[in-house]
Amino acid sequence: MTQENPENLLTGLNHLDDRGQAQMVDVSGKAPTIREAVAVARVKMLAETFNAIQAGNAPKGDVLGTARLAGIMAAKQTASLIPLCHPLPLHKVEVQVTPDPQLPGYQLQAIVKTKAETGVEMEALTAVSVAALTLYDMAKALEKSIQIEAIQLVSKTGGKSGNYHLEKGR
C-alpha cells in the first residue's frame, strides 16, 4: 500500500490560507495528468428485499438502473456538493451495482477518470455514496432497515502524491 506519511499530514495544508481559513487550492500551476479513482460501498438488506429487487418487484421500478445512473450524475456534480472540490472534466464515470446474495445486498463500485490538474477521489466517493442512497430510496418501501456500509476509496492513480491502493483485508 502506498499512503501518506502520518507525520506529514499537518504540514503543507494547502486548503488553509495564512490565517487558517479554508480555501480552494490553486492548481493552475500543475500540469494536467491522467488520474483515476475507484471507490466502493456495500448495501445490506433482508433476503426478502434482495429477492424482490432481483425479481424486479420493487414498487418504484428499476432500483439498480436508477442507482447506477444516480451515481454517474452525482460524480458530475461533486464540485457543487463538496465546498472545496474543483469542477473537473470527467472523461469516464462507471458505476457497477453487483448483487451479493451472501450479504444479502449489493456491492457498488465507481470508477472515475479524467485528465486534469487534480484527482477524482471525491467524484468516485460521491458516485458510490449517491448510488447507495438511491438504492435505499428506491427500496425503502420494502424495508426501512437497509444499511449502507463501507464507503471507501480503493485506489487512485496519478498526481503529485502518487498512487494509493487499499490494503487487502481492510
Side-chain angles (χ1 to χ4, degrees):
M1 174 179 99
T2 304
Q3 190 167 340
E4 293 128 15
N5 182 347
E7 295 171 7
N8 293 335
L9 290 179
L10 297 179
T11 60
L13 292 176
N14 50 11
H15 277 87
L16 301 177
D17 66 15
D18 55 0
R19 296 183 313 265
Q21 296 176 334
Q23 68 177 0
M24 182 181 256
V25 174
D26 180 359
V27 296
S28 62
K30 296 170 78 175
T33 60
I34 296 174
R35 296 153 184 271
E36 183 175 271
V38 179
V40 295
R42 184 172 51 228
V43 181
K44 288 174 59 175
M45 59 195 62
L46 297 172
E48 295 81 14
T49 304
F50 175 76
N51 292 334
I53 293 169
Q54 286 298 105
N57 292 332
K60 287 190 172 184
D62 182 5
V63 173
L64 306 180
T66 304
R68 189 178 63 74
L69 286 174
I72 293 167
M73 292 173 66
K76 295 171 19 175
Q77 293 299 316
T78 301
S80 298
L81 299 169
I82 310 294
L84 300 178
C85 283
H86 293 83
L88 297 173
L90 301 182
H91 295 98
K92 174 184 180 178
V93 179
E94 179 182 335
V95 176
Q96 300 168 0
V97 182
T98 306
D100 184 347
Q102 300 303 314
L103 207 51
Y106 295 89
Q107 302 286 346
L108 285 70
Q109 176 178 278
I111 302 168
V112 181
K113 189 173 187 178
T114 191
K115 183 175 183 181
E117 297 82 4
T118 190
V120 286
E121 298 93 330
M122 293 308 299
E123 287 74 8
L125 287 161
T126 299
V128 294
S129 298
V130 171
L133 288 167
T134 301
L135 200 156
Y136 179 92
D137 180 55
M138 294 291 291
K140 69 185 177 194
L142 299 169
E143 177 187 349
K144 302 283 190 267
S145 62
I146 294 170
Q147 298 172 25
I148 297 170
E149 304 178 337
I151 297 170
Q152 59 188 335
L153 182 69
V154 172
S155 66
K156 78 106 180 156
T157 59
K160 183 177 152 185
S161 66
N163 297 341
Y164 166 82
H165 298 282
L166 182 68
E167 289 180 15
K168 297 281 186 208
R170 253 192 91 196

